Amino acid sequence: MENVVIAGIGQTAVAEHWDTSLRELGLYAMEAAMEDAAGLRPSALYVGNMLAGTLSHQTHLGALFADFAGLHGIEAAHIEASGASGAMALRLGALAVASKAVDSVLVLGVEKLSDQVAGLVEAALAGSTDTDYEAEQGLTLTSQAAILAQRYLYEYQPPEHALAGFPLTAHKNGVANPFAMFRRAVKPESYARAGMVASPMNMFDVAPSADGAAAVLLTRKELIPPKFPHPLIEIIGSSAVTDTLALHDRPNPLIFNAARLSVERACRQAGIIPKDADLFELFDAYSVYAALSLEAAGFAEPGEGWKWAQNGAIQIDGELPISTMGGLKARGFPGGATGVYQIVEAAQQLRGQAGDNQVSEAQTALVQSLGGPASTAVTHVLKAT
């Protein structure tokens, strides 16, 4: 990946947007990204979305958003890869720009969940599992994660509340993020007495699903006009890898092999090793996913990822800051839009625009999104230019 830069970023708050439609949410983020890019006009639009066809009864999202934004006549398409949809759309956009098939791409991640009853949303999310052998038997993404958490605790015997540091850190970071769904820190004692969602995961171990849209505008360096209003962020590594769809088909369900391979390949392309990254925006939809992602990325041996949640190692001023703007847990989990939010937040860090959450002298960011329990893993490496 060479010469592809993020010229503009935009996002809406992650929240229950009862009075805002799917198309309006997307438009707000698109307009913000184009304005941030000093008015650069995209020649293509890739939309990352997971559930619109099921919940909003709207497909053909490329044409929908191109039309609604007044981008008539451009190439546009919808990309779906479960929770990694936005990240996959970004990868395809970056490849299109790098190949010179197009000069600029607007990547939109958008999701609208609030105007549906919870049971319908949970059923739609379960479509990310193997429908015949998992969802039809009653398995949901949350219960699947709980099975992984139970196995993790049984296999490795970490201390009680070993995973608590992940959501506590996320909520601490969410306080200063104006786009986050939850902007209050959580005390350890509050975590300890929180109600169970799916044992052993309590309410703080599960990211809240909500509405949101985020967008980035990609182009090549040589197409950036002089006196550009803000620093550019380069995409220097990108990789997408798949694993078995059904969790039970894996030799060891506690090994996120696709996540491991995608980190290795993206870092190899970028010419770095994971430990060179100044921050890691991982996919903390569930606390156990954070531990497994750190292990997959090579930061910890199997069964030791939880140790990063101890003693401040993952906080803003720690050895490896993660979830720097609140992660999925505090910012919220807007389905297929998540990967674009992660890129926007990493870009804020590398631009030096993260405010109270700024990672000191951040130059390189590792960003990973997952579809299901790493059935799809998409990793990007970003660098400040």
Side-chain angles (χ1 to χ4, degrees):
M1 189 71 64
E2 294 182 358
N3 206 27
V4 179
V5 293
I6 298 173
I9 58 176
Q11 60 183 318
T12 71
V14 178
E16 295 180 342
H17 291 281
W18 295 100
D19 298 324
T20 307
S21 68
L22 176 76
R23 70 183 71 199
E24 289 169 332
L25 271 178
L27 179 64
Y28 296 154
M30 293 166 69
E31 289 180 332
M34 288 187 286
E35 180 180 358
D36 187 58
L40 286 176
R41 179 183 172 87
S43 45
L45 168 67
Y46 294 147
V47 182
N49 174 271
M50 179 179 174
L51 300 173
T54 303
L55 296 181
S56 300
H57 308 292
Q58 178 67 64
T59 59
H60 212 175
L61 297 183
L64 171 74
F65 286 106
D67 178 23
F68 199 58
L71 300 173
H72 303 299
I74 70 168
E75 172 184 335
H78 167 214
I79 313 300
E80 189 277 316
S82 183
S85 297
M88 190 68 81
L90 181 85
R91 172 168 165 76
L92 297 181
L95 290 172
V97 170
S99 70
K100 299 187 179 181
V102 296
D103 286 339
S104 59
V105 172
L106 186 60
V107 179
L108 170 67
V110 61
E111 205 72 72
K112 186 77 169 71
L113 311 172
S114 290
D115 37 14
Q116 302 290 335
V117 297
L120 289 177
V121 173
E122 196 68 32
L125 290 168
S128 292
T129 67
D130 188 317
T131 299
D132 289 338
Y133 297 104
E134 293 179 320
E136 286 294 333
Q137 316 311 318
L139 191 72
T140 65
L141 288 179
T142 299
S143 60
Q144 185 180 63
I147 291 170
L148 285 173
Q150 286 178 340
R151 184 66 191 180
Y152 192 89
L153 298 179
Y154 171 80
E155 192 77 28
Y156 302 123
Q157 297 294 306
E160 186 179 19
H161 304 319
L163 300 175
F166 294 118
L168 296 183
T169 298
H171 278 277
K172 179 181 179 181
N173 294 343
V175 171
N177 181 2
F179 297 96
M181 188 173 185
F182 293 115
R183 301 186 62 192
R184 292 184 61 182
V186 175
K187 297 179 180 179
E189 52 268 31
S190 297
Y191 176 91
R193 64 170 181 262
M196 285 291 168
V197 174
S199 181
M201 302 190 311
N202 68 33
M203 63 179 290
F204 291 117
D205 291 311
V206 180
S209 298
D211 310 330
V216 298
L217 199 150
L218 309 177
T219 190
R220 291 187 295 280
K221 286 182 184 178
E222 68 267 19
L223 301 179
I224 296 293
K227 297 182 180 180
F228 204 66
H230 57 71
L232 297 172
I233 308 304
E234 189 172 2
I235 301 175
I236 60 173
S238 176
S239 174
V241 182
T242 56
D243 201 341
T244 67
L245 180 58
L247 194 61
H248 59 256
D249 284 335
R250 301 181 191 176
N252 184 345
L254 296 180
I255 301 295
F256 277 4
N257 194 49
R260 175 184 65 83
L261 289 172
S262 72
V263 167
E264 289 179 359
R265 294 172 186 176
C267 287
R268 187 183 308 120
Q269 186 180 77
I272 69 167
I273 61 174
K275 290 184 179 179
D276 291 334
D278 298 306
L279 60 126
F280 184 17
E281 293 299 339
L282 48 70
F283 195 84
D284 59 335
Y286 306 100
S287 296
V288 70
Y289 278 20
L292 294 175
S293 295
L294 286 166
E295 294 168 18
F299 291 106
E301 294 296 319
E304 296 187 354
W306 62 270
K307 294 182 180 179
W308 280 91
Q310 314 298 307
N311 305 319
I314 56 174
Q315 294 186 17
I316 295 296
D317 58 354
E319 182 180 350
L320 181 69
I322 71 168
S323 306
T324 63
M325 302 301 286
L328 283 68
K329 184 60 195 69
R331 180 239 297 126
F333 178 19
T338 302
V340 186
Y341 272 96
Q342 291 175 294
I343 292 293
V344 166
E345 291 162 356
Q348 288 178 309
Q349 289 286 357
L350 300 182
R351 285 183 179 184
Q353 297 176 344
D356 291 343
N357 288 357
Q358 183 65 51
V359 174
S360 179
E361 300 181 354
Q363 294 294 305
T364 305
L366 188 63
V367 186
Q368 185 173 80
S369 298
L370 304 179
S375 297
T376 297
V378 183
T379 303
H380 290 95
V381 182
L382 308 185
K383 183 178 181 180
T385 60

